[in-house]
Amino acid sequence: MQFPESWLRAFCNPALNTQELADLLTMSGLEVEELRPVAPPFHGIVVAEILSAEQHPNADKLRICQVNAGAAEPLQIVCGAPNARAGIKVPLATVGAELPPGEDGKAFKIGVGKLRGVESFGMLCSARELKLSEEHGGLLELAADAPVGQNIREHLQLDDTLFTLKLTPNLAHALSVYGIAREVSALTGAPLQTPDFAPVAVSHQDKLPVRIEAADLCGRFSGRIVRGVNTQVKTPAWMVDRLARCGQRSVSPLVDISNYVMFELGRPSHIFDLDKIHEELVIRWAKPGETLKLLNGNTVELDETVGVVADSQAPESLAGIMGGDATAVSDDTKNVYVEAAFWWPKAVMGRSRRFNFSTDAGHRFERGVDPALTVAHIERITQLILDICGGQAGPMDDTVAALPERKPVALRVARASKVIGMPISQEDCARVFTRLGLAFTEAPGVLTVTPPSFRFDLQIEEDLIEEVIRVLGFPQLPATPPLAPVVAKVASESRRAIHALRHALAGRDYFETINFSFVEARWEQELAGNSNPIQLLNPIAAPLAVMRTSLIGSLINTLRYNLTRRAPRVRLFEIGRVFLRDASVVESDATIAGIHQPMRVAGLAFGPAEQQQWSQRERQVDFFDVKGDLEALFAPRQLRFVAAEHPALHPGRSARIELDGQDIGVIGELHPKWRQGYELPTAPIVFELDLPAVLARQLPAAQAIPRQQAVLRDLAVIVGEGVTHEALMQTIQSAHSGLIRSAKLFDVFKPTQASSDLKDGERSMAVRLELLDDEVTLTEERIEQTVAAVIEALGQRLGARLRA
């Protein structure tokens, strides 16, 4: 939120300088993000009146002006501005004045000049030349009553500072200049100038019928008719300046008045063109299929979760967010309806982001706006309308459906002292609540506070404790070192550290990426097969509307991001949490009922298998490259890859990963349908694993060096093409009595033509057996018995026969 210091001090003027005031606000929880002067440094510029403006004899675009700057004699100024004319008052940089520094950082000094043979004793200035705005279409025209000769900084109040606050969502009561002044008064004890809005004189008895059909949308709706307004008048300069210093441009008198009161008092409001409203206003939830053209020109489609203000024919305003174009005020408007309402925060929250825009009104209503002062604020708006645009006000119409209940909150003084970390007396707490304007009752050791209508953030005891310490001042906290013993937690050797896993993956050429846990619903449907993901109630962006159950979608999206930046080779991994529906999960400090949140690690490989080099030809990464990465990651533990299907993966190039008989993840090539759907040139290889399984590791165990020499035997067996490597190895391992130390497949042969020993549908697989007995030397008899047992097992289980 941005506002000028001068406006704040009009409500509360503590004996603090600008920097001290900023430090006070920051230390009280209202962080001052930036302090910026309204105008850069310059001097020697005064208010001047142009007495005459004659055409330059030697230049078509120049005028010779006689200017009254408050001196005994008029000054002659040569000026090229198109709006230079007699009778207007403008800024004049006198001889010796210095204009704001330019791009080189040096001030521009004004001297006596000569333009096309005519002397000029100064310079008439535009707003851009004074660095007040980017407007440079002509001279900056001042008010007709501006005192001639007055310093322009004094006249325009340029010795002012813009405060920009970064407010947390719980500080809805500070989203106005008056709200911040109220905080400053409580913090400093300086008097607060509370505005008093007397009811305006009622000139007619016309009312617009109003019905609240949805009490869960709108708790209170106040309004009145004002007839005979003149919308073609100019907004007063003082209001335009204050709005500009709040970052709001001037639009029209009625819109400016509404915006002004919002910044002043924190009350968003809306002004309808009364003659464009049909019969009545109805506050209700929208009906599916209804549409509304908004003031920003967008036409949005509504549903039953969006609140509207409608007339008898159609929606006319998006409740608490933005008005509609059909009933907007214009230069032809004569009669208006002014409304101020209390919209329930939950009814407004997230609605504007659904339509990809945000508004100051929605920002305030979704945090909470005081429901008690709608009538008083309409009186303020009405008075400004009558003062600026004229007209006749009608009676106030105030419809109340349901207002928020303020439940008392108890503060235990002993508890406050313990949480804050220093002694706090009951008198200290009572003094703080009095300064904050909080109603409370006292009992020994306990204060019970009833939050006021403008404080939506006071709900539990800790909220009151926060109020106590921030008003007393965080600098009052003693610098007390902790007394608790610090004992390092010894990590189990049977579990690898997550950071070590990151290093291991980085060592395999993968780069870590961190993504949002909320993703597009499309990713969940297509890449995880999840048609019912966990929905977000208030997504930060419309597409990111569900919680992820897989990390694969996030990696695919990051891959696309890299490909649009011409990255030829991409290796990514992510360690993150996924969110699964699980009715067995109960509520606890670390869990949410019905939602299981396991940690996963996932990776993606795309492009060439190796970096470009001279020693080998380039080839694309494939399933076996990533399989090898995983085997290296788990070594010496042995993984088992079992053919399986997954919604995201190619049905013939994907596998389930097993470790010690447990499923721990999947690996495979992206499905061709999704490769095309996500516009990828080739299919990446992806994997996703349960993190605890990856972090678990076996403790090293000492093993004696064999005292005997190993024996090698090669077998070539003929098997059917359907026999897999895994089936072959399992059969060999199960066929011996402990002598086979290892078995490795070293050759697969299938002739191009049918041969005498190989039939159609058969192939030869050659295996090298390593035999060893740790205790005694193997005899030829024992070796032959073991080999015969292997051949027999292969024949019985796989239909294999020894190749001749």
Side-chain angles (χ1 to χ4, degrees):
M1 177 182 171
Q2 179 179 301
F3 62 90
E5 181 182 1
S6 59
W7 198 357
L8 173 64
R9 290 187 182 272
F11 287 114
C12 181
N13 189 12
L16 301 173
N17 62 34
T18 300
Q19 188 59 54
E20 290 170 342
L21 178 59
D23 293 341
L24 175 72
L25 289 172
T26 296
M27 291 306 296
S28 67
L30 285 71
E31 180 185 354
V32 178
E33 191 172 32
E34 182 185 21
L35 290 177
R36 180 163 49 91
V38 169
F42 58 79
H43 66 84
I45 302 174
V46 299
V47 176
E49 181 180 8
I50 300 178
L51 302 177
S52 65
E54 305 293 337
Q55 184 65 45
H56 194 293
N58 301 321
D60 293 338
K61 294 185 178 181
L62 296 179
R63 291 179 175 84
I64 302 172
C65 301
Q66 297 299 318
V67 176
N68 176 17
E73 298 291 335
L75 297 176
Q76 178 174 281
I77 308 292
V78 179
C79 177
N83 63 335
R85 64 189 186 278
I88 64 171
K89 292 181 179 179
V90 295
L92 167 65
T94 58
V95 174
E98 289 189 356
L99 294 182
E103 294 182 359
D104 58 359
K106 297 180 181 179
F108 182 74
K109 191 170 184 178
I110 301 296
V112 177
K114 183 177 287 190
L115 283 78
R116 296 290 183 95
V118 177
E119 284 190 321
S120 180
F121 297 90
M123 173 181 168
L124 301 180
C125 303
S126 68
R128 186 177 185 180
E129 288 163 339
L130 298 181
K131 299 290 180 70
L132 300 181
S133 74
E134 291 302 312
E135 179 61 42
H136 62 285
L139 300 176
L140 173 60
E141 298 189 28
L142 305 175
D145 59 354
V148 172
Q150 185 181 28
N151 189 305
I152 197 69
R153 299 191 72 92
E154 179 184 349
H155 175 68
L156 295 179
Q157 297 182 350
L158 299 181
D159 293 321
D160 199 357
T161 303
L162 298 182
F163 278 60
T164 301
L165 302 190
K166 185 178 182 181
L167 300 177
T168 52
N170 63 311
L171 298 176
H173 60 281
L175 284 170
S176 66
V177 178
Y178 178 73
I180 297 166
R182 184 170 51 205
E183 290 291 306
V184 172
S185 177
L187 295 168
T188 63
L192 177 66
Q193 304 299 322
T194 303
D196 181 23
F197 307 124
V200 300
V202 175
S203 303
H204 61 83
Q205 296 301 316
D206 297 342
K207 284 188 176 183
L208 179 67
V210 173
R211 282 188 295 117
I212 299 179
E213 291 186 352
D216 56 340
L217 167 64
C218 178
R220 184 175 189 177
F221 194 92
S222 307
R224 71 155 26 120
I225 293 173
V226 182
R227 295 192 178 276
V229 298
N230 179 9
T231 58
Q232 299 186 18
V233 299
K234 289 188 64 175
T235 304
W238 60 268
M239 182 177 287
V240 173
D241 289 343
R242 280 188 170 176
L243 288 173
R245 293 179 188 185
C246 290
Q248 177 68 52
R249 66 180 180 87
S250 175
V251 179
S252 67
L254 292 174
V255 175
D256 291 346
I257 289 169
S258 178
N259 287 333
Y260 182 85
V261 173
M262 179 182 68
F263 287 114
E264 179 185 44
L265 304 173
R267 168 67 60 188
S269 59
H270 188 63
I271 302 178
F272 295 88
D273 188 324
L274 178 65
D275 298 325
K276 298 176 181 177
I277 298 174
H278 300 92
E279 299 178 11
E280 63 176 351
L281 288 182
V282 181
I283 292 83
R284 58 174 174 82
W285 295 105
K287 300 172 183 177
E290 286 185 319
T291 60
L292 174 63
K293 185 177 181 182
L294 300 171
L295 290 174
N296 61 6
N298 295 346
T299 299
V300 295
E301 186 172 346
L302 309 174
D303 58 32
E304 65 278 2
T305 64
V306 179
V308 296
V309 179
D311 60 14
S312 61
Q313 296 185 4
E316 300 296 351
S317 175
L318 207 55
I321 299 174
M322 184 180 287
D325 181 70
T327 54
V329 295
S330 65
D331 289 346
D332 299 325
T333 297
K334 299 300 180 186
N335 307 304
V336 297
Y337 182 77
V338 183
E339 67 88 359
F342 168 69
W343 306 100
W344 289 98
K346 289 185 178 180
V348 179
M349 192 178 298
R351 269 56 172 192
S352 58
R353 282 188 290 276
R354 179 186 304 183
F355 302 118
N356 296 320
F357 65 84
S358 62
T359 63
D360 287 325
H363 181 77
R364 286 163 172 79
F365 278 124
E366 68 184 7
R367 286 159 172 78
V369 176
D370 189 354
L373 297 178
T374 55
V375 171
H377 292 169
I378 286 185
E379 295 290 358
R380 171 63 166 160
I381 296 170
T382 306
Q383 188 62 62
L384 288 171
I385 292 175
L386 298 181
D387 292 344
I388 297 171
C389 302
Q392 302 85 42
M396 185 72 67
D397 186 14
D398 186 23
T399 304
V400 178
L403 297 180
E405 179 185 356
R406 291 288 184 255
K407 296 182 179 180
V409 183
L411 170 72
R412 295 165 291 172
V413 177
R415 169 69 175 166
S417 297
K418 183 178 180 180
V419 172
I420 291 172
M422 70 178 189
I424 298 293
S425 68
Q426 185 160 335
E427 291 73 19
D428 291 332
C429 297
R431 187 168 60 254
V432 167
F433 296 153
T434 300
R435 289 165 63 175
L436 288 170
L438 306 180
F440 64 93
T441 59
E442 292 189 67
V446 178
L447 294 90
T448 303
V449 174
T450 302
S453 58
F454 59 86
R455 293 299 297 265
F456 287 78
D457 58 322
L458 302 181
Q459 299 179 4
I460 59 176
E461 185 177 25
E462 283 72 13
D463 295 331
L464 296 179
I465 295 174
E466 178 187 3
E467 295 299 298
V468 170
I469 184 55
R470 74 182 189 89
V471 173
L472 290 179
F474 288 106
Q476 302 298 323
L477 288 171
T480 306
L483 299 178
V486 178
V487 180
K489 183 179 180 181
V490 180
S492 172
E493 292 185 8
S494 63
R495 187 179 186 274
R496 176 166 39 184
I498 292 181
H499 200 58
L501 175 61
R502 291 190 174 99
H503 275 281
L505 285 165
R508 305 298 300 180
D509 216 13
Y510 289 82
F511 289 83
E512 184 175 14
T513 178
I514 301 174
N515 296 289
F516 287 127
S517 295
F518 19 88
V519 298
E520 296 185 25
R522 173 193 174 191
W523 302 354
E524 282 296 298
Q525 176 69 40
E526 297 176 349
L527 301 177
N530 183 12
S531 59
N532 184 31
I534 299 169
Q535 299 285 334
L536 286 170
L537 296 178
N538 187 24
I540 62 170
L544 306 179
V546 302
M547 303 301 292
R548 65 185 178 184
T549 61
S550 170
L551 304 182
I552 293 176
S554 301
L555 293 177
I556 296 295
N557 187 59
T558 307
L559 170 63
R560 296 179 64 199
Y561 178 88
N562 281 267
L563 292 180
T564 58
R565 286 150 182 81
R566 300 182 178 276
R569 183 174 183 271
V570 180
R571 298 288 189 280
L572 303 171
F573 79 92
E574 181 177 4
I575 299 173
R577 199 174 296 279
V578 297
F579 303 83
L580 312 172
R581 295 186 186 275
D582 186 347
S584 65
V585 178
V586 297
E587 188 80 20
S588 73
D589 292 340
T591 60
I592 297 174
I595 300 177
H596 182 42
Q597 305 178 51
M599 292 288 290
R600 300 267 182 88
V601 56
L604 176 148
F606 174 88
E610 301 289 345
Q611 297 282 0
Q612 189 175 16
Q613 55 177 300
W614 62 270
S615 63
Q616 62 184 25
R617 297 177 61 180
E618 183 177 289
R619 66 175 180 82
Q620 294 296 305
V621 68
D622 59 21
F623 176 95
F624 297 99
D625 291 313
V626 179
K627 174 176 176 286
D629 289 335
L630 294 183
E631 289 174 333
L633 190 66
F634 278 83
R637 293 181 297 166
Q638 298 293 318
L639 295 177
R640 183 166 177 254
F641 297 85
V642 182
E645 293 188 1
H646 185 277
L649 304 180
H650 192 300
R653 300 177 185 175
S654 59
R656 181 178 71 251
I657 304 174
E658 295 182 359
L659 178 66
D660 300 330
Q662 299 293 322
D663 294 345
I664 65 167
V666 294
I667 180 176
E669 181 181 303
L670 188 68
H671 198 292
K673 180 167 59 175
W674 308 139
R675 181 200 66 77
Q676 184 177 8
Y678 290 91
E679 300 176 342
L680 303 176
T682 59
I685 309 299
V686 297
F687 66 85
E688 185 171 19
L689 306 168
D690 289 328
L691 183 63
V694 183
L695 297 181
R697 64 181 178 184
Q698 295 176 342
L699 293 177
Q703 187 175 4
I705 298 174
R707 292 180 296 172
Q708 308 298 328
Q709 186 174 356
V711 175
L712 302 179
R713 287 290 186 271
D714 292 344
L715 293 178
V717 293
I718 299 173
V719 296
E721 287 189 356
V723 175
T724 64
H725 170 268
E726 182 182 8
L728 186 69
M729 292 298 109
Q730 286 184 343
T731 303
I732 293 173
Q733 291 295 334
S734 64
H736 69 90
S737 57
L739 296 184
I740 300 180
R741 183 167 181 167
S742 68
K744 294 183 180 178
L745 179 70
F746 67 87
D747 182 55
V748 177
F749 172 72
K750 182 178 180 182
T752 56
Q753 305 180 31
S755 62
S756 58
D757 55 345
L758 289 175
K759 304 175 183 177
D760 288 340
E762 293 184 333
R763 59 179 174 177
S764 170
M765 303 180 76
V767 180
R768 177 160 294 164
L769 305 178
E770 182 183 9
L771 310 179
L772 178 67
D773 188 330
D774 289 334
E775 301 300 327
V776 297
T777 302
L778 287 174
T779 63
E780 193 66 28
E781 181 181 359
R782 293 181 67 193
I783 294 171
E784 293 301 329
Q785 288 176 353
T786 301
V787 173
V790 169
I791 295 173
E792 182 182 359
L794 291 174
Q796 291 177 352
R797 298 185 186 182
L798 303 180
R801 66 181 186 275
L802 193 64
R803 183 178 176 188

